[in-house]
Amino acid sequence: MDFPSFSLDTSLLEEANEPDPEITYDLLILGGGPAAMSAAVYAARKMMNLAIITKDFGGQVRETSEVENWLGFQSINAKDLADSFEEHVKSFGIPVSLGRAITEVKKQGDTFRVWTDDATVYSSRTIILSTGKRHRLLNVPGEQELVGRGLAYCATCDAPFFKGKKVVVAGGGNSAFTTVLDLVKVEAEVTLINFIKGWQADGPLQKRVEQTGTVSMLDYRQIVKIEGKDKVTGVVVKNRESEKEEKLKTDGVFVEIGLLPNNQSVKDLVELNDQGEVIVDCTCQTSVQGLYAAGDVTTVPHKQIVIAAGEGAKAALSAYSYLVNKSLL
Amino acid sequence: MDFPSFSLDTSLLEEANEPDPEITYDLLILGGGPAAMSAAVYAARKMMNLAIITKDFGGQVRETSEVENWLGFQSINAKDLADSFEEHVKSFGIPVSLGRAITEVKKQGDTFRVWTDDATVYSSRTIILSTGKRHRLLNVPGEQELVGRGLAYCATCDAPFFKGKKVVVAGGGNSAFTTVLDLVKVEAEVTLINFIKGWQADGPLQKRVEQTGTVSMLDYRQIVKIEGKDKVTGVVVKNRESEKEEKLKTDGVFVEIGLLPNNQSVKDLVELNDQGEVIVDCTCQTSVQGLYAAGDVTTVPHKQIVIAAGEGAKAALSAYSYLVNKSLL
C-alpha cells in the first residue's frame, strides 16, 4: 500500500514561549523523551494549562540509529522519529524551558515547586516526572563519537542490525547476558567482556549463554578504547591481571554496564526502589499525591519507546482525573 | 520540516499462512487490535515462534475517524493508521488465523490449548490475551451505519472534532459525565440523555457538569433512532414516562453506556475483577503462569491506542523472559 499522506501544520511551530514562574500550572512535565512527549500530547488535548522543562527533546531515541519496533513503521530513522514526536508536541504551543537541568522538586501545601539550575522556580498543581535513565558509560575514547555507529545500548532495539557480525558486549550482569542471547539469536559472533572477576548474571542466564558454545567470555578485562572513524572497527582491551593490552576486531559494541535513573530532583520527596527507580502503580501514581511518573525513571520494566509513550499517556490522564476529582480543573 | 520518507517492503506482504495445529508455538496472540499488533512486532523481533488468532486487524481503531494522539502524527486517518499497523505485523510473515472467534483457552500441564469456533485446537507455551472490549450498543437504527460519521465512542479521541457543535451524549455514569465535560471544554452544546431515572455518576462529576450551566440533562428517555445519511443530523428520543417521541437536531452522538471486556474464552481460567476485566500486574502477568494480557481486556485504565500498544510490547517481553527463564527458548 501507499503510506497515508499527511501534512504538518507548520503555522503553529513558532518558537515556544518560556514557562512563566508567576503562573501555577495545572501540570509541569519534567523531561523530554517519549514518555514526556506523549504525556504532553494527551494533556494538551485535555486543555490542561501545562509547561515542559527539559534539557532536550527526544531523549534516548536520539542515541539509536534505526527504529524497527515503533508500530506502523517497519523501519524509521531514529532522528526522524524523534523529530516527528517533537513537532507533534510543539504544534500545541506549550511553553518549554529548554536546556536547563531540574535541581529540586518540593511540595508545599497542594502546590509543587520546581527549581532549575538557573535558580528559577516554577509552580504547578501536578507533576509528571519523566526524566528517564542514563547509561553508565565506559568513559573511554571513541565511546561518545561512535554512539549509533556500531556502539549501542539496547539489544531489543538494535540486535537485528548485527546479524552475522562480530560484536563485543561490555558487562557481566543480567542485561549483558540477555544482550548476548539476543545477539546469538541473530547469529552474531559475540565476545563478552567484564571489568571485574566472575559474572553477576543469574544462574539460568549464565547457563544458557554457556550452552550456546559460541560465546567468548573474558573477565577481569578493561575496555580502554573503542576504535573506528565512521563506525566501530575494534576495541582495545587491557588484561587487568597481566596489564597487557590487545586489539579485538569488532563491528559493534553493546555497553551493558548499568543504567542510572535520573531521580536527583525527587530523591528526597518520593519513594524509590533499591535501584533508585521511582515506584509507581499501574496508573503512574507515585507515593506523593499529584506527582506522577512515567517511562524509564520508574519501576515499569523495559526501556522501549512505545512502552514509555503508553506510560506517558497514562500519567497525563491520571493527572487530569486527579484535578477533575479535586475540582481544580 | 518534511516528514521522513520511508517505503514498505511489499515483497514480504504475501498472504499469511494459517497457524499449524500440530505445532506447539512459543506464543499465541489472541486478538488483532493495537495491543496484539505491538506484541506481535516485539515477539517476532525476539525470534519467537508465534501465531495470531483474530477476527480482524485493527480492532477499535477502525471505529474512529481521525487520530490526533498517536505520537508523531498531528492528525492521521484512523483507517490509514490501522493499515500501517497491520502491514508492519504482516511484514514478519507470522501465521494468522483470521475471521474466527476464540471459544475457549485451557491450560493442560505447561501447554495452553486454544479452541476456535470451527473446533480447531492450537497449542502454545505462552498466551497473550488482547481481545479488547466491545461497546454496549444502543441497538437502534442508524447506529452501525453512522460510526465514525458523527457517532463516536471515545471523547478523549474525538471530542476536539466537535468544537462548537451540538452533541448528544447517551449514558448516565462516570464515562458519560466525563465525556460531557470533555465536550463542554471544546464549547460543544451538549444534551445528556439517560435511559433510566436519575444519574449514576460520582457526585463531584455530577456537580461539575451542573456548574457548567450549559448542559441539558434528560433522564428516563430512550434514544430510539439516530438520523442522518452521510453523517449524524439528529436523534429520535422517547420520553419513557409520557411515551411521546421527539426529534433533536444534533451533529454528533457519543454512546457511553458501558464497555464489555471480551473475556469469554478465559473466564473459567483466569482471575477477573468485578467488571470482568482480566487482572494484570505492571508486567502484564495474569493469575495464570505463562498467560499474559494486554490492552482494553485488562484492568489497565484508559482505552487508548498508545497505551494498548505499550502494554502489548510489555506482554511480549514478559512472555519472552518467562520462556528464557524456563530454558524453553
Side-chain angles (χ1 to χ4, degrees):
Chain A
M1 76 163 199
D2 286 336
F3 197 81
S5 66
F6 60 98
S7 59
L8 295 168
D9 182 352
T10 48
S11 68
L12 296 162
L13 300 180
E14 292 153 25
E15 209 47 45
N17 289 322
E18 285 278 317
D20 184 346
E22 300 298 314
I23 291 177
T24 298
Y25 287 96
D26 293 328
L27 170 65
L28 278 176
I29 296 176
L30 312 184
M37 292 193 280
S38 183
V41 166
Y42 270 79
R45 280 175 50 84
K46 287 287 193 190
M47 307 273 189
M48 294 171 83
N49 187 16
L50 78 151
I52 301 172
I53 306 175
T54 183
K55 268 201 289 197
D56 53 33
F57 276 112
Q60 292 187 46
V61 181
R62 296 196 188 275
E63 282 178 16
T64 188
S65 43
E66 289 285 309
V67 175
E68 294 187 344
N69 50 20
W70 178 254
L71 196 56
F73 289 87
Q74 289 175 46
S75 181
I76 183 169
N77 177 276
K79 185 188 165 300
D80 291 340
L81 187 64
D83 285 348
S84 76
F85 291 175
E86 182 174 342
E87 304 229 348
H88 194 174
V89 171
K90 287 187 173 167
S91 73
F92 295 98
I94 302 163
V96 179
S97 161
L98 201 67
R100 293 205 204 98
I102 300 141
T103 54
E104 185 149 28
V105 180
K106 282 188 183 172
K107 194 173 185 186
Q108 298 176 341
D110 273 348
T111 304
F112 291 94
R113 309 265 181 213
V114 178
W115 277 258
T116 57
D117 57 6
D118 65 346
T120 312
V121 188
Y122 298 102
S123 302
S124 182
R125 278 179 276 271
T126 65
I127 298 279
I128 294 177
L129 183 82
S130 38
T131 42
K133 281 199 174 86
R134 61 193 187 280
H135 291 280
R136 197 189 293 270
L137 303 178
L138 290 169
N139 280 322
V140 297
E143 184 176 24
Q144 283 198 329
E145 297 82 347
L146 292 162
V147 168
R149 301 171 176 195
L151 194 130
Y153 293 99
C154 173
T156 295
C157 320
D158 296 336
F161 301 113
F162 292 87
K163 192 174 161 76
K165 296 194 171 171
K166 285 193 182 198
V167 185
V168 163
V169 177
N174 282 344
S175 62
F177 275 74
T178 305
T179 295
V180 169
L181 291 175
D182 281 351
L183 288 163
V184 168
K185 267 195 180 293
V186 297
E187 290 154 31
E189 193 182 312
V190 185
T191 303
L192 181 60
I193 298 179
N194 197 17
F195 183 76
I196 65 168
K197 229 173 207 162
W199 309 93
Q200 304 94 63
D202 297 339
L205 269 175
Q206 289 199 38
K207 202 172 162 189
R208 298 213 51 228
V209 167
E210 279 163 32
Q211 282 168 347
T212 66
T214 65
V215 177
S216 306
M217 296 175 68
L218 310 173
D219 68 346
Y220 210 41
R221 306 287 210 292
Q222 183 178 5
I223 295 173
V224 292
K225 189 181 174 191
I226 296 168
E227 298 193 314
K229 206 175 165 194
D230 297 325
K231 56 193 187 91
V232 169
T233 56
V235 291
V236 178
V237 179
K238 186 169 89 174
N239 185 318
R240 294 182 63 205
E241 191 124 359
S242 66
E243 301 253 316
K244 275 187 189 157
E245 291 190 359
E246 62 171 337
K247 285 191 185 188
L248 287 182
K249 276 192 184 171
T250 187
D251 304 302
V253 178
F254 280 76
V255 180
E256 293 290 352
I257 56 173
L259 288 165
L260 306 170
N262 296 317
N263 61 13
Q264 300 89 324
S265 62
V266 297
K267 65 183 191 315
D268 297 326
L269 177 65
V270 74
E271 215 174 305
L272 308 173
N273 71 1
D274 288 349
Q275 283 84 54
E277 295 164 335
V278 177
I279 297 172
V280 290
D281 68 12
C282 293
T283 71
C284 300
Q285 172 67 57
T286 70
S287 61
V288 177
Q289 268 226 333
L291 175 59
Y292 300 86
D296 292 356
V297 76
T298 74
T299 44
V300 168
H302 314 301
K303 294 170 41 60
Q304 294 298 312
I305 301 171
V306 75
I307 295 177
E311 296 294 315
K314 257 193 248 180
L317 295 174
S318 293
Y320 176 77
S321 296
Y322 168 82
L323 290 175
V324 167
N325 288 333
K326 293 198 88 173
S327 297
L328 292 172
L329 203 69
Chain B
M1 79 161 196
D2 286 334
F3 197 79
S5 66
F6 60 98
S7 59
L8 295 168
D9 183 352
T10 49
S11 69
L12 294 162
L13 301 180
E14 291 153 26
E15 210 45 48
N17 289 324
E18 286 279 316
D20 185 346
E22 301 298 314
I23 290 176
T24 299
Y25 287 96
D26 294 329
L27 169 65
L28 278 176
I29 296 175
L30 312 185
M37 293 193 280
S38 182
V41 166
Y42 270 80
R45 280 174 50 85
K46 286 289 193 189
M47 306 274 188
M48 294 171 84
N49 187 16
L50 79 149
I52 301 172
I53 306 176
T54 183
K55 269 201 288 198
D56 54 33
F57 275 113
Q60 292 186 48
V61 181
R62 297 197 189 274
E63 283 177 16
T64 189
S65 42
E66 290 285 310
V67 175
E68 295 187 345
N69 49 20
W70 178 254
L71 196 55
F73 289 87
Q74 288 175 47
S75 181
I76 183 169
N77 177 277
K79 185 189 165 300
D80 291 341
L81 186 64
D83 286 348
S84 76
F85 291 174
E86 182 174 343
E87 305 230 348
H88 194 175
V89 171
K90 287 187 172 167
S91 72
F92 294 99
I94 302 163
V96 179
S97 162
L98 201 66
R100 294 206 201 97
I102 300 142
T103 54
E104 185 148 26
V105 180
K106 282 187 183 172
K107 194 173 185 186
Q108 298 176 340
D110 274 348
T111 305
F112 291 93
R113 309 268 181 210
V114 178
W115 277 259
T116 56
D117 57 7
D118 64 345
T120 312
V121 188
Y122 298 102
S123 302
S124 182
R125 278 180 275 272
T126 65
I127 298 280
I128 293 177
L129 183 82
S130 39
T131 43
K133 279 199 177 85
R134 62 193 186 280
H135 291 282
R136 197 190 294 270
L137 303 178
L138 289 169
N139 279 320
V140 296
E143 183 175 22
Q144 282 197 330
E145 297 82 346
L146 292 163
V147 168
R149 300 171 176 195
L151 194 130
Y153 293 98
C154 172
T156 296
C157 322
D158 296 335
F161 301 115
F162 292 86
K163 191 173 162 74
K165 297 196 171 170
K166 285 193 182 197
V167 185
V168 163
V169 177
N174 282 345
S175 61
F177 275 74
T178 306
T179 295
V180 168
L181 291 175
D182 282 351
L183 287 163
V184 168
K185 267 194 182 293
V186 297
E187 291 153 31
E189 192 183 313
V190 185
T191 304
L192 181 61
I193 299 180
N194 197 17
F195 183 76
I196 64 167
K197 231 172 205 164
W199 308 94
Q200 305 95 62
D202 297 340
L205 269 175
Q206 289 197 37
K207 201 172 162 189
R208 297 212 53 228
V209 167
E210 278 163 32
Q211 281 168 346
T212 65
T214 65
V215 177
S216 307
M217 296 174 69
L218 309 174
D219 67 345
Y220 209 42
R221 305 289 210 290
Q222 183 178 3
I223 294 173
V224 292
K225 190 181 174 190
I226 296 166
E227 297 193 315
K229 205 175 163 191
D230 297 325
K231 58 194 187 92
V232 170
T233 56
V235 291
V236 179
V237 180
K238 187 170 86 176
N239 184 318
R240 293 182 64 205
E241 192 127 352
S242 66
E243 300 255 317
K244 276 187 190 158
E245 291 190 358
E246 63 171 335
K247 285 191 185 188
L248 286 183
K249 276 193 183 172
T250 186
D251 303 303
V253 177
F254 280 76
V255 181
E256 292 291 351
I257 57 172
L259 288 165
L260 306 169
N262 296 317
N263 61 13
Q264 300 90 325
S265 61
V266 299
K267 65 184 192 316
D268 298 327
L269 177 66
V270 74
E271 215 174 307
L272 309 174
N273 71 0
D274 289 348
Q275 283 83 54
E277 295 164 335
V278 177
I279 298 172
V280 290
D281 68 12
C282 292
T283 71
C284 300
Q285 172 68 55
T286 70
S287 61
V288 177
Q289 268 227 332
L291 176 58
Y292 300 86
D296 293 356
V297 77
T298 72
T299 45
V300 167
H302 313 302
K303 293 167 47 59
Q304 292 298 312
I305 301 171
V306 74
I307 295 177
E311 295 293 315
K314 256 193 244 179
L317 296 173
S318 293
Y320 176 78
S321 297
Y322 168 81
L323 291 174
V324 167
N325 289 333
K326 292 198 87 171
S327 297
L328 292 172
L329 203 69

